[in-house]
Amino acid sequence: MAEAAGDAGLGPGPAQEGAELAAVIGATVPTGFEQTAAEEVQEKLGSASRISRDRGKIYFAVPARSLPQVHRLRSVDNLFVVVEEFKDYQFKENKEDALKDLEGLVKKLPWTDPLKVWELNNSLKKKKTKRKKHNLQSPASKEKLNDGGEEGGADQKDTNDQEDCAQNIVGVASSQDTEKPQGVASQNGGEEEEEDDEQLNARDEVQASSGSSTKAGDGQTAEGEAKVLKFRVTCNRAGDKHSFTSNEAARDFGGAVQEHFQWKADMTNFDVEVLLNIHNSEVVVGIALTEESLHRRNITHFGPTTLRSTLAYGMLRLCDPQPTDIIVDPMCGTGAIPIEGAAEWPGCYHIAGDNNPQAVKRAANNICSLLRKNESKDSTVQGVPLDVIQWDICNLPLRTGSVDIVVTDMPFGKRIGSKKKNWDLYPACLMEMGRICTPGTGRAVLLTQDKKCFAKALSRVGHIWRRAQTVWVNVGGLHAAVYLLRRTWERAEERRSFW
């Protein structure tokens, strides 16, 4: 019979006395854009990343004082600190034995440093919450975040695998994303007004965490008052060779965590969320650092198919925007792509447009919210390089060859439009995009789930567009593709019928 444990992989390891507190961070990212996220981490944090075999996750090591910068990454959805990773964990075939091994794992794991990182992360969130409460008192920040109505984004699991998810301690919960009300204030739009102050705060907190006798494992608050921490375990499992469900793994692992720390189980108002990620033979135990996905940072007015900001960032990065580029989203919806572009590439000029007046109104409201957010952080900020227009996608009021980049989320033919209409819409769109894009240097990044229709349309305009790259993604449970197209030197013909 197989052994209970496998070789330990990437893990924080015991910190040497006097050494700076470090952490191995796990991040969930839109599937297909793992390499993009790894490049951003290298560029902004100077850390190399490892892409997980479990799609939609990357891992990287950083000093704990870099947590504020980690939370400002644009390509990641959720963050957690790794307690331990097993790259080849050998589960026993018998269910009871396999679950008993998971229970026994709890006492062997190196919890100390990850819990210190969790404490530091909590202290930073509290500081941000206080700042946000102060800002909410001013007229510039009265816009409240609406959490509903979002379709876009990438599922973190490949639906070809058998998978399930549970959150458990002594019972079973069915909801994947149970969030605290505080999560909106502490995580969304959590960029700080003054990075220097925050860095000092982070450094002070690291020192305090290292030198304090108050530990999460002891169930104490920072003020030294006795408090029993509340927790839950969330298990994500993928693979068809496990003898147990995620509910059973979360229940038994959670029971062992409760016994080990003497914490109290609470499925909704928890302080600590322990993560148990099982993907075939890969097992990762972590502690969540985000209460709500970081993709909820820009949008306050939602439409039927609002795209995740993290996926929008990945699409924009794919086309490599350069300063002074003119970037157009001709089917902008709620404006997720151009708003993300204006926030991250302010040296470019972004134009958003849609034929639906309601979509244009939502995009305009989201741009106003971004302006208020920027003004609340810096009163000297004067606008953003972004305009929104109502137009006809097949008859754009833009000069031929005047645009550098087109980035858009095309209608899937599900919630908006229909697959039948796409057969006429797609070729007409590609032709009009080819007309406005600069020959030879123009590029387009287009997201669609209607891959058959897109391939047929692209074959009809092959003289002006060449497919350079395809990224396969999961959007709202649908298998979709992001296409990077490059404009040829061929002159685009004027509008004509294709079918």
Side-chain angles (χ1 to χ4, degrees):
M1 189 172 287
E3 293 297 321
D7 295 332
L10 189 66
Q16 295 180 356
E17 189 171 348
E20 183 179 27
L21 181 62
V24 174
I25 302 296
T28 61
V29 303
T31 54
F33 282 100
E34 295 88 353
Q35 186 59 44
T36 298
E39 289 169 3
E40 186 193 12
V41 169
Q42 180 67 53
E43 178 185 299
K44 296 181 178 179
L45 299 174
S47 299
S49 297
R50 183 180 64 79
I51 297 173
S52 172
R53 286 177 291 179
D54 182 8
R55 288 192 76 201
K57 291 188 180 69
I58 65 169
Y59 299 97
F60 53 93
V62 293
R65 58 180 165 78
S66 295
L67 277 176
Q69 287 97 323
V70 172
H71 279 275
R72 285 198 293 273
L73 292 171
R74 313 293 293 191
S75 56
V76 304
D77 286 313
N78 289 287
L79 298 165
F80 58 94
V81 57
V82 174
V83 176
E84 188 79 83
E85 180 188 13
F86 300 91
K87 291 184 179 178
D88 189 24
Y89 190 97
Q90 300 299 311
F91 290 99
K92 291 183 177 176
E93 295 179 8
N94 179 274
K95 181 198 290 188
E96 287 72 20
D97 290 341
L99 291 173
K100 191 172 182 181
D101 286 342
L102 283 177
E103 286 184 52
L105 200 58
V106 172
K107 294 181 180 179
K108 303 173 184 177
L109 295 174
W111 295 97
T112 304
D113 281 355
L115 282 171
K116 285 180 181 178
V117 173
W118 171 82
E119 287 175 341
L120 170 62
N121 189 71
N122 256 18
S123 67
L124 294 173
K125 285 193 296 184
K126 286 174 184 175
K127 285 186 173 68
K128 272 193 263 184
T129 303
K130 287 178 182 177
R131 279 198 291 267
K132 281 197 161 289
K133 285 179 179 176
H134 175 74
N135 287 337
L136 284 171
Q137 294 171 1
S138 67
S141 302
K142 286 185 179 176
E143 194 79 48
K144 290 189 178 180
L145 180 67
N146 176 4
D147 284 337
E150 184 171 14
E151 176 203 60
D155 284 355
Q156 302 305 325
K157 295 288 179 185
D158 189 339
T159 53
N160 290 330
D161 289 334
Q162 180 187 16
E163 61 178 275
D164 54 3
C165 172
Q167 299 152 344
N168 214 308
I169 299 302
V170 286
V172 175
S174 60
S175 172
Q176 169 61 21
D177 291 317
T178 306
E179 297 156 355
K180 294 191 213 174
Q182 180 191 342
V184 174
S186 63
Q187 294 298 331
N188 185 71
E191 296 183 20
E192 294 67 26
E193 294 94 16
E194 298 185 21
E195 291 184 27
D196 292 340
D197 287 349
E198 188 185 59
Q199 282 300 105
L200 290 172
N201 289 336
R203 196 176 298 114
D204 292 343
E205 291 295 339
V206 170
Q207 293 170 353
S209 177
S210 301
S212 172
S213 60
T214 299
K215 298 181 184 295
D218 297 333
Q220 300 288 320
T221 65
E223 290 77 18
E225 299 172 358
K227 177 193 172 185
V228 177
L229 290 177
K230 293 179 287 187
F231 84 110
R232 80 173 182 192
V233 168
T234 299
C235 177
N236 290 283
R237 184 189 67 83
D240 55 5
K241 295 183 178 180
H242 304 126
S243 59
F244 52 86
T245 65
S246 61
N247 287 345
E248 293 166 333
R251 178 195 63 206
D252 290 14
F253 191 82
V257 170
Q258 185 176 35
E259 183 179 344
H260 182 66
F261 289 108
Q262 296 300 303
W263 290 343
K264 181 181 177 181
D266 194 316
M267 300 303 298
T268 53
N269 297 314
F270 51 88
D271 301 303
V272 185
E273 182 175 23
V274 177
L275 306 175
L276 178 61
N277 295 326
I278 301 171
H279 182 261
N280 294 322
S281 61
E282 183 180 81
V283 176
V284 180
V285 179
I287 300 172
L289 300 179
T290 49
E291 294 162 332
E292 181 182 63
S293 176
L294 297 177
H295 79 261
R296 298 177 181 271
R297 56 175 171 256
N298 294 330
I299 306 302
T300 55
H301 294 75
F302 291 83
T305 58
T306 301
L307 195 70
R308 288 181 180 227
S309 297
T310 46
L311 185 52
Y313 174 85
M315 291 173 64
L316 284 157
R317 192 173 174 112
L318 197 60
C319 58
D320 189 26
Q322 299 298 311
T324 73
D325 275 352
I326 295 175
I327 305 176
V328 172
D329 182 351
M331 294 177 276
C332 69
T334 55
I337 293 173
I339 288 173
E340 183 68 20
E344 187 67 8
W345 288 275
C348 301
Y349 178 45
H350 306 264
I351 306 174
D354 204 288
N355 70 334
N356 186 323
Q358 280 299 111
V360 173
K361 184 178 179 180
R362 290 190 194 104
N365 285 330
N366 285 324
I367 294 168
C368 288
S369 297
L370 177 65
L371 283 168
R372 293 190 194 101
K373 177 181 166 184
N374 289 346
E375 288 168 1
S376 70
K377 291 187 290 185
D378 184 356
S379 59
T380 63
V381 172
Q382 298 293 326
V384 290
L386 169 58
D387 281 316
V388 61
I389 308 164
Q390 184 176 346
W391 57 27
D392 175 6
I393 172 58
C394 299
N395 189 20
L396 298 173
L398 297 170
R399 187 178 298 167
T400 298
S402 62
V403 171
D404 298 289
I405 298 171
V406 173
V407 186
T408 199
D409 175 9
M410 302 183 76
F412 287 11
K414 301 276 187 183
R415 296 191 185 186
I416 291 181
S418 68
K419 296 223 171 189
K420 184 178 179 181
K421 289 181 180 178
N422 284 350
W423 286 94
D424 293 324
L425 178 66
Y426 277 24
C429 286
L430 286 172
M431 195 65 190
E432 184 66 352
M433 291 174 190
R435 182 187 69 80
I436 65 172
C437 268
T438 308
T441 59
R443 52 257 193 228
V445 172
L446 309 174
L447 166 66
T448 181
Q449 189 263 340
D450 199 349
K451 300 179 284 292
K452 182 178 179 181
C453 180
F454 185 87
K456 182 73 172 177
L458 187 61
S459 70
R460 296 293 179 124
V461 294
H463 60 294
I464 58 173
W465 287 116
R466 292 281 186 270
R467 184 166 62 184
Q469 187 178 346
T470 304
V471 178
W472 302 105
V473 297
N474 229 316
V475 180
L478 300 172
H479 289 284
V482 174
Y483 298 97
L484 170 62
L485 309 180
R486 295 198 180 278
R487 182 69 169 82
T488 67
W489 286 99
E490 189 79 18
R491 178 179 176 271
E493 298 178 27
E494 294 305 316
R495 305 169 191 95
R496 60 184 173 87
S497 175
F498 284 89
W499 309 117

